[in-house]
């Protein structure tokens, strides 16, 4: 029982510390690199490389920030469900 309670508290703490939020989204600028975006948002949850374009997602289907990089420069970003 104690382990379940500790696990639940850890999950709650991690949820509250998400970097996928409106304040961090507003720090993003066109032309930033992946490493600069990662300094703001943390490590991306997923990235796909197609024909020299890298598309990365921070967060999940309900709350996320998406950035497309070409030659390691942000060319497009969007958000969904962030507060």
């Amino acid at each position: 029982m104690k382990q379940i309670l500790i696990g639940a508290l850890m999950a709650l703490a991690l949820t509250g510390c998400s970097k996928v939020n409106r304040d961090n989204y507003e720090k993003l600028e066109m032309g930033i690199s992946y490493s600069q975006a990662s300094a703001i948002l943390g490590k991306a949850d997923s990235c796909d490389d197609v024909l020299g374009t890298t598309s990365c997602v921070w967060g999940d289907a309900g709350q996320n920030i998406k950035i497309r990089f070409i030659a390691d420069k942000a060319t497009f970003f969007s958000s969904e469900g962030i507060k």
Side-chain angles (χ1 to χ4, degrees):
M1 182 70 167
K2 185 177 178 180
Q3 290 176 331
I4 293 172
L5 181 58
I6 290 172
L9 289 173
M10 297 272 295
L12 183 61
L14 291 174
T15 302
C17 296
S18 175
K19 291 186 173 190
V20 178
N21 58 51
R22 178 68 51 199
D23 289 337
N24 285 338
Y25 180 77
E26 291 176 358
K27 293 176 185 176
L28 301 174
E29 298 177 5
M30 289 295 178
I32 66 171
S33 67
Y34 173 82
S35 62
Q36 290 170 312
S38 294
I40 296 168
L41 300 170
K43 185 178 183 237
D45 292 299
S46 67
C47 289
D48 294 318
D49 294 313
V50 178
L51 300 173
T53 301
T54 303
S55 297
C56 296
V57 178
W58 285 261
D60 56 32
Q63 182 175 328
N64 61 61
I65 296 174
K66 297 176 184 177
I67 305 177
R68 182 178 307 132
F69 299 92
I70 297 177
D72 197 34
K73 300 291 180 196
T75 58
F76 171 82
F77 49 90
S78 66
S79 68
E80 183 176 330
I82 62 173
K83 299 172 183 148

